[in-house]
Amino acid sequence: MLPNAKLGDGGATFLEAIFTATSAVCVTGLIVVDTATYWSPFGQVVILLLIQVGGLGIMTFASVIGLTIARKMSLRSRITAASEIKSVGLEDVKGLVRGVVLMSLAIELTVAVILSLRFLTGYGEPVGRAVWLGVFHSVSSFNNAGFALFSDNLISFATDPFICLPIAFAVILGGIGFPVIVQLRKHIRSPLRWNMNTRVVLAGTITLLVAGTVFITAVEWSNPATLGPLAWPDKLLVGFFQSVQARTAGFNSIDNGAMDSASLLATDVLMLIGGGPAGTAGGIKVTTFAVLFFILLAEVRGETTVNVFGKRLSRAVHRQAISVVLLAVAVIVISTAALMLLTDISMDRLLYEAISAFGTVGLSTGITAGLPVAGQVILMLLMFVGRLGPVTFASALALRQRRTLYELPKERPIIG
């Protein structure tokens, strides 16, 4: 709210400041004012710092929670988990934090250099401006924040692979999670040594990226407001970029408000699923979605156990996944209904905005700034709950497990 954080006279209003701060620290990317023209360089630095702190904090918090849950396992399970992960010791929280920070800075620096050189040589930006653009968008992309320093986000660079692909690469790395990156770094050539989490995250990420790219590209292929005017290689690039961003990053290289309703619905699904655990992505997490898929597959096959990549899935994980999904659906439905009561905007756009906020994505059809104050408060609460809710709720369920000394008689209601 400081006057020097805003361009022009005066400072930002309380709502503008707190909405932007919430969106930045929750690494979402929804905005009520234009980041490029409303905030001064000082204000943009504040946003960048909030994004960095929010991204590092979530990755560290989720990783430490993972260690805490691991300590609750039996000794045999702990030894097995430690031998599979081969990353940090169960007591080495300091080493874990250091690993998260160093890995994040290394990836951000690499992407920042690539983007800075492109802005410098491809667009004639002065050295200082090119470096600032490279650093800002690198940090924003790796932390899946979606804040951009251009009024049209990245629409002006939709057909430039030297801008879009490094950003997409950073988004994917930030979204798959710290544990997966560590294991890939150690055993990239030994897939048999990957644990279940790494296999599920990689398989789910690749499947969703390919499916999202194919669907969005096919639906928008002839849309004159999105992919229609582009050459076919550019259509594929934009389709892939949009599919990546729907995994909770929030950049956009086309106008989301002009997309077909089918594309918006597909994006809703991708945003809700999100990325991997212990990463900068939001959503219910690809592992949660995968668990539900394998439960369904086992039921269809009539199997009594759920097996994933040669390992049996704990029944406690079944309950945790179902609980997280039902909680997410309830929060989104209630919030969307509240937004419908406050505005006359169509349900598909309000649902899109609500899922984007809960999944900490940041994609928007352009209605956020026009919502009433109560509607913007709802989005802020969704961002906060979506950022901390799933990991906190799931870890609480895992840590509160207790064995009862008796069982009640079984009975089955009619299902379906």
Side-chain angles (χ1 to χ4, degrees):
M1 294 178 66
L2 295 175
N4 61 340
K6 174 181 172 295
L7 292 173
D9 298 330
T13 66
F14 175 74
L15 182 62
E16 293 167 343
I18 194 172
F19 190 98
T20 303
T22 302
S23 183
V25 80
C26 293
V27 291
T28 304
L30 288 176
I31 56 175
V32 290
V33 292
D34 182 17
T35 307
T37 59
Y38 188 84
W39 303 107
S40 67
F42 171 75
Q44 294 171 358
V45 169
V46 172
I47 292 173
L48 183 68
L49 292 176
L50 288 174
I51 292 172
Q52 185 72 85
V53 171
L56 289 176
I58 285 296
M59 292 182 72
T60 304
F61 173 67
S63 299
V64 171
I65 284 292
L67 292 183
T68 305
I69 294 174
R71 292 193 189 99
K72 295 293 183 179
M73 298 177 182
S74 65
L75 180 59
R76 182 187 298 271
S77 299
R78 290 172 61 184
I79 293 174
T80 302
S83 65
E84 285 182 347
I85 298 173
K86 297 186 188 306
S87 54
V88 293
L90 293 177
E91 306 298 329
D92 190 13
V93 176
K94 184 183 295 185
L96 184 147
V97 174
R98 182 170 58 249
V100 169
V101 172
L102 292 178
M103 179 203 69
S104 301
L105 295 180
I107 295 174
E108 290 172 353
L109 178 61
T110 302
V111 177
V113 170
I114 297 173
L115 292 178
S116 298
L117 290 175
R118 181 57 179 169
F119 284 122
L120 179 66
T121 60
Y123 297 92
E125 295 284 358
V127 175
R129 171 71 175 171
V131 171
W132 171 237
L133 290 174
V135 170
F136 188 96
H137 291 93
S138 173
V139 174
S140 183
S141 57
F142 177 74
N143 290 287
N144 280 221
F147 280 90
L149 295 181
F150 302 98
S151 296
D152 62 354
N153 204 277
L154 297 179
I155 293 179
S156 299
F157 309 99
T159 58
D160 187 346
F162 298 102
I163 296 292
C164 292
L165 291 183
I167 288 177
F169 175 73
V171 168
I172 293 171
L173 283 181
I176 62 176
F178 174 71
V180 175
I181 295 177
V182 169
Q183 191 159 75
L184 289 178
R185 184 170 60 86
K186 290 181 177 292
H187 306 299
I188 184 65
R189 297 182 180 180
S190 306
L192 293 178
R193 304 182 71 176
W194 296 351
N195 61 18
M196 182 190 292
N197 182 74
T198 298
R199 296 182 183 189
V200 168
V201 170
L202 289 180
T205 297
I206 293 172
T207 300
L208 292 173
L209 284 177
V210 172
T213 300
V214 171
F215 188 88
I216 293 174
T217 304
V219 173
E220 300 295 326
W221 188 271
S222 301
N223 187 340
T226 54
L227 302 186
L230 304 179
W232 72 264
D234 296 331
K235 292 181 180 181
L236 295 178
L237 174 62
V238 174
F240 170 73
F241 188 78
Q242 288 297 122
S243 178
V244 172
Q245 304 314 310
R247 306 299 309 290
T248 83
F251 291 105
N252 63 285
S253 57
I254 56 176
D255 181 7
N256 290 312
M259 293 174 68
D260 189 270
S261 296
S263 297
L264 294 181
L265 182 59
T267 306
D268 286 342
V269 174
L270 294 174
M271 292 192 297
L272 179 61
I273 296 173
T280 56
I284 62 172
K285 302 298 186 292
V286 67
T287 45
T288 306
F289 177 77
V291 166
L292 294 183
F293 171 78
F294 283 113
I295 291 174
L296 175 62
L297 192 62
E299 287 295 325
V300 171
R301 291 175 174 176
E303 298 172 347
T304 57
T305 59
V306 179
N307 301 313
V308 181
F309 297 120
K311 297 287 184 67
R312 181 168 56 86
L313 202 61
S314 168
R315 291 190 180 276
V317 177
H318 303 188
R319 297 191 296 269
Q320 292 164 17
I322 293 171
S323 299
V324 168
V325 171
L326 290 178
L327 175 67
V329 170
V331 170
I332 291 171
V333 169
I334 292 172
S335 301
T336 303
L339 290 172
M340 291 175 66
L341 294 174
L342 292 171
T343 69
D344 295 326
I345 303 173
S346 62
M347 188 192 72
D348 59 340
R349 292 177 180 269
L350 292 176
L351 178 63
Y352 188 92
E353 219 77 6
I355 295 178
S356 179
F358 178 82
T360 67
V361 183
L363 291 175
S364 174
T365 56
I367 65 173
T368 300
L371 292 176
V373 173
Q376 294 179 1
V377 170
I378 290 174
L379 292 184
M380 280 192 289
L381 293 174
L382 277 173
M383 288 188 282
F384 190 80
V385 171
R387 181 68 277 181
L388 291 179
V391 64
T392 306
F393 184 63
S395 60
L397 292 175
L399 294 172
R400 289 187 67 236
Q401 289 184 26
R402 56 191 178 92
R403 180 176 298 177
T404 56
L405 301 179
Y406 61 90
E407 289 187 358
L408 297 175
K410 288 184 178 180
E411 187 174 348
R412 295 187 59 177
I414 299 174
I415 301 296

